[in-house]
Amino acid sequence: ETGVTQSPTHLIKTRGQQVTLRCSSQSGHNTVSWYQQALGQGPQFIFQYYREEENGRGNFPPRFSGLQFPNYSSELNVNALELDDSALYLCASSLGLAGREETQYFGPGTRLLVL
Amino acid sequence: DQQVKQNSPSLSVQEGRISILNCDYTNSMFDYFLWYKKYPAEGPTFLISISSIKDKNEDGRFTVFLNKSAKHLSLHIVPSQPGDSAVYFCAARYYSNYQLIWGAGTKLIIKP
């Protein structure tokens, strides 16, 4: 059973650019959630995908978008990068919808730096 | 507006003693509370949880206490071990949409 993996591990971009972050969910999991963790803060919920459809979104602008593929892997896309987008981006997978936080597994994250 | 607050950025405890990590919340719409542990370069891992209808939940060395009237919860680790050194996050779940709101974390250091 493979765990949650994320790529790349680190990334440096400049303001205005676009970025795509990737997440492979744990085997058998069909739900993926994305979080943003700024330095010194706790993770903030961006959105969740269940069976390829968005199922809930936090307080993030539309330039944050996502996709989930038939194999349940997922992408987070951020357009028009801003300096405040610099953060650790965490992906978490689980089986089924909400209420399963105990069985939600996190990847190690992608560290994004926007200059 | 921080709805979940962990006021201690760090805590240092002697090995073998009790570690007590605290968390305060402001919203009465939370129905479930969780603690996560995070090591450097790894994602958070679930540690223990408690429903809002309970006041205590225990799992081995870990116990979570919930005081609803004070909107306060705490995580007790006893006895503390070197492997417990990590950042601990408190998270609260909205009953309506199951979204988790996280605290900023407390870095626990267990001294040998």
Side-chain angles (χ1 to χ4, degrees):
Chain A
E1 191 175 85
T2 56
V4 179
T5 60
Q6 292 186 244
S7 62
T9 55
H10 295 83
L11 199 53
I12 300 175
K13 290 284 189 178
T14 55
R15 272 186 306 173
Q17 284 190 310
Q18 178 267 342
V19 69
T20 297
L21 310 182
R22 295 177 175 83
C23 171
S24 290
S25 55
Q26 180 147 321
S27 176
H29 285 184
N30 54 15
T31 303
V32 172
S33 301
W34 285 92
Y35 294 83
Q36 179 195 67
Q37 186 182 2
L39 199 62
Q41 305 290 323
Q44 272 196 287
F45 175 73
I46 304 175
F47 43 55
Q48 181 184 77
Y49 279 83
Y50 171 66
R51 291 186 174 179
E52 303 178 58
E53 296 209 356
E54 188 178 291
N55 177 59
R57 188 180 182 95
N59 190 24
F60 280 82
R63 59 189 185 84
F64 284 77
S65 63
L67 277 175
Q68 187 179 31
F69 300 99
N71 67 354
Y72 302 129
S73 65
S74 177
E75 284 183 356
L76 164 65
N77 298 290
V78 187
N79 293 322
L81 283 167
E82 300 176 0
L83 296 179
D84 284 350
D85 296 333
S86 295
L88 179 69
Y89 288 85
L90 294 164
C91 158
S93 76
S94 57
L95 178 61
L97 285 173
R100 307 280 186 109
E101 290 80 10
E102 291 87 341
T103 54
Q104 181 175 244
Y105 295 95
F106 283 83
T110 294
R111 175 77 61 188
L112 172 65
L113 177 60
V114 182
L115 300 176
Chain B
D1 178 30
Q2 280 187 290
Q3 299 185 64
V4 177
K5 293 181 187 179
Q6 294 178 257
N7 291 319
S8 299
S10 66
L11 176 68
S12 188
V13 174
Q14 202 74 36
E15 182 180 355
R17 307 293 286 266
I18 184 170
S19 295
I20 300 176
L21 295 98
N22 294 304
C23 178
D24 297 294
Y25 63 96
T26 58
N27 198 321
S28 301
M29 308 297 262
F30 295 137
D31 70 337
Y32 209 69
F33 302 89
L34 304 97
W35 285 93
Y36 289 83
K37 177 178 178 179
K38 186 181 186 300
Y39 293 118
E42 294 183 14
T45 55
F46 168 76
L47 191 58
I48 192 169
S49 61
I50 188 166
S51 165
S52 59
I53 62 172
K54 300 199 171 176
D55 55 18
K56 179 182 174 182
N57 187 27
E58 194 171 350
D59 183 2
R61 297 185 299 114
F62 302 92
T63 304
V64 56
F65 295 92
L66 175 61
N67 182 334
K68 281 187 73 176
S69 60
K71 292 190 173 66
H72 175 83
L73 63 156
S74 60
L75 173 68
H76 292 212
I77 306 173
V78 55
S80 300
Q81 298 174 354
D84 296 331
S85 293
V87 176
Y88 289 78
F89 291 99
C90 164
R93 189 182 77 180
Y94 273 117
Y95 84 97
S96 58
N97 60 11
Y98 293 119
Q99 279 191 24
L100 291 183
I101 307 298
W102 297 64
T106 295
K107 183 175 183 178
L108 176 64
I109 301 163
I110 305 301
K111 299 179 293 186

